[in-house]
Amino acid sequence: MPCPSKPRLLLLLPTATYRATAFVETARRLGIELTVASELPSTFEQAQPDRLVTLDFSDPERAAEQAAEFARRHPVAGVVGVDDDGAVVAAVIAGRLGLRGNPPAAALAARDKHVQRRELARHGVPVPRFELHALDEDANALAAGARYPCVLKPLRLAASRGVIRADDPRGFAAAFERLTRIVEQAGCSRSILVEDFVPGPEVALEGLVIDGRLEVLGLFDKPDPLDGPFFEETIYVTPSRLPAPAQRALIRCGEAAVAALGVREGPIHAELRYNAQGPWLIELAARPIGGRCSTVLRFAIRETGNEKRETYSLEELIIRHALGMPLPGLEREQRAAGVMMIPVPGAGVLREVRGITEARAVPLVEDVAITAHPGEALVPWPEGSRYPGFIFARGETPEAVEGALRAAHGRLTFVMQ
Amino acid sequence: MSSAEIRITAEPIDNGRCKFLVSEPVHDGGVRRFASPQEASGSPLVEAIFAIPGAEVAEVIVSGNLVTVVKRSAAPWQVIGKPVGAAIRSALAGDRPAVAPKPAAPVAAGGADDDTLYDRVAELFDSQVNPMVARHGGRVELIDVQDAVVMLRMAGGCQGCGMADVTLRQGIEAMLQQAVPEVKGIVDITDHTAGANPYFAASKK
């Protein structure tokens, strides 16, 4: 029987998440009571009503009512959302139940790219020049008035889905038409952002916000240039190899963005660029890093007097923070680490992946996880948003880690039907 | 077959657990689970795995072509996997069976022996668990009960499903705790990477 003295976490897991195992197993290890909330019912929900619940993620206020009703029977001590929609729902639930969390306005601003740009610009955070347009507008007229190169992006799709660069009016019109189809297929807002393309290397900043203060958990370089026309991500490596002043400027930019959006509590994942003009905030999400990428973040406490270390995952820090449990330490382990989101090899149906054993045998590679299943249709960017798998490596230097990721990827062969 | 021809694929589940898929059968006599070096006595493969320096192996489960290793050390599977692979090759090349036959069922803590537990868990799976997962095209097979630990395999819509661990921990394990409280643990030996028709496929960032 559940022990009432154990705190209960309400974990908002969309059914399309990569994150279930990482969060569920961490919760078990911590010995807390866990309730998983999803937007679709589990087949066990009626049998285990204290452990599984369905919430309407599309309507945060209604979800908060459902959560409040649940909490009357099973008191909740913390709430965590793992994706963009879940972050908004978690914020509203936290407000309703008096739990640690973000103001709903902050979570909403982090989710909507236009609201976010507007708030950041209003607070003086450097963002690309942007305009909001509707897909019902005349594409040729917009193309004639645009500055090039520019980037067209939907307001809410994740994983750079639908994000397209245009270098001239002809490219703009083609991108506009393609983005229209993507947005219509996804059934989301018919508004888009058109913004200046910002040249320069891109980084990802992972952080945990505690009482409004950003604690930086990791700064990842993205060594493959993200110059378009599409923006499928590949390699993340930490620590960053950018000069220290650039890193400090990027972190200050992240701190300013957190303050501008009003983010108060929980994980953030921000994407920034750096060039001769300084740092640029591209996007900030009030959620942890996506996919299986959190695997590479490991936090360590070195016991004094010997080499034995305890390590903690990002999920453990997030759960502990949400429940107000002591945080063991926020310092990432010393070794370099990296992940490759395996690029989609092309459009088609996957039959098999060869060379996994050989890829795993590459020195420094810790794992190769193929998440696409045989028979699955692989869809390249910008229509797609699902990586066929992930490669993880750890080593003494970022260069060595990056080399290992590339070598392992070179040993994989995707066989399509 | 020489040891050089044996192909082994390591599939880490997390930093503590890793499945090793072997190209030929390791143990044909059902599932065997070993929770200590003492229990491994007489099974050369498992003795060798428990003896890997620095691994702090806590558990080894062998079934058909699958060897699941659970360790306590923080050492990555990239380091520990190599001696595990060597142990598998060496054991399969030896004269003795890599894994000894399962002994008579011991009496588990609380007085319920594994055979009795197996029957109760099987009844629960038939009457409640499988009708539930069938709604998503899934199936859960009870493989064995050893030392009051349930070993199962997921199939159909559950195999490779992004929410499989939620089903396992929040659904099946919770039901077992309530209906068969003598059960001490649950081990999923599913090869989720081979799931061709998962009910929920992960796609979100």
Side-chain angles (χ1 to χ4, degrees), chain A residues 135 152-157 161-163 175-193 382-383:
Chain A
L135 290 172
L152 288 73
K153 55 172 65 169
L155 298 189
R156 277 180 50 179
L157 296 182
R161 183 181 175 199
V163 181
F176 192 91
E177 186 184 337
R178 196 164 182 176
L179 179 52
T180 300
R181 284 198 302 270
I182 292 169
V183 165
E184 286 174 349
Q185 186 188 28
C188 56
S189 159
R190 289 183 60 81
S191 297
I192 63 166
L193 275 186
E383 284 79 11

Side-chain angles (χ1 to χ4, degrees), chain A residues 11-21 23-25 35-45 51-54 57 82 292, chain B residues 133 136 154 157-172 188 192 198-203:
Chain A
L11 177 65
L12 312 186
L13 273 181
T15 52
T17 187
Y18 284 104
R19 323 292 304 282
T21 299
F23 273 103
V24 170
E25 295 299 324
T35 299
V36 172
S38 296
E39 82 285 10
L40 295 171
S42 162
T43 55
F44 284 89
E45 185 171 322
R51 293 171 185 251
L52 295 157
V53 64
T54 304
F57 286 0
V82 305
R292 294 214 183 164
Chain B
V133 297
H136 285 181
M154 293 176 152
C158 295
Q159 189 179 10
C161 175
M163 298 294 273
D165 210 53
V166 174
T167 298
L168 183 75
R169 301 301 184 192
Q170 301 296 99
I172 300 170
D188 174 19
H192 281 287
Y199 191 77
F200 292 123
S203 65

Side-chain angles (χ1 to χ4, degrees), chain A residues 211-275:
Chain A
D211 196 20
R213 182 164 174 268
L214 175 65
E215 298 281 352
V216 176
L217 302 178
L219 190 64
F220 288 90
D221 285 341
K222 303 183 184 184
D224 285 334
L226 286 163
D227 291 333
F230 313 127
F231 294 86
E232 176 183 19
E233 300 199 277
T234 53
I235 293 177
Y236 277 34
V237 178
T238 190
S240 172
R241 283 166 278 177
L242 287 173
Q247 292 189 38
R248 285 195 294 272
L250 287 160
I251 289 169
R252 281 197 300 273
C253 185
E255 290 168 341
V258 164
L261 297 178
V263 176
R264 299 291 305 169
E265 302 287 353
I268 61 121
H269 169 78
E271 288 164 359
L272 305 97
R273 289 197 173 208
Y274 191 83
N275 58 27

Side-chain angles (χ1 to χ4, degrees), chain A residues 16 25 34 159 360 365 373 386, chain B residues 10 78 165 169-170 195 202-203:
Chain A
E25 295 299 324
L34 177 66
R360 287 189 176 127
V365 167
H373 58 83
R386 173 168 159 75
Chain B
Q78 190 237 352
D165 210 53
R169 301 301 184 192
Q170 301 296 99
S203 65

Side-chain angles (χ1 to χ4, degrees), chain A residues 369-386:
Chain A
I370 301 300
T371 47
H373 58 83
E376 180 175 330
L378 301 185
V379 182
W381 268 247
E383 284 79 11
S385 62
R386 173 168 159 75

Side-chain angles (χ1 to χ4, degrees), chain B residues 102-146:
Chain B
K102 183 180 176 183
V107 175
D113 64 66
D114 285 341
D115 288 342
T116 304
L117 286 181
Y118 184 100
D119 291 341
R120 291 169 63 194
V121 174
E123 163 63 19
L124 182 75
F125 278 23
D126 287 345
S127 64
Q128 296 187 52
V129 170
N130 271 312
M132 288 182 190
V133 297
R135 291 180 213 151
H136 285 181
R139 193 170 66 257
V140 179
E141 300 166 16
L142 174 59
I143 303 300
D144 204 356
V145 177
Q146 286 186 22

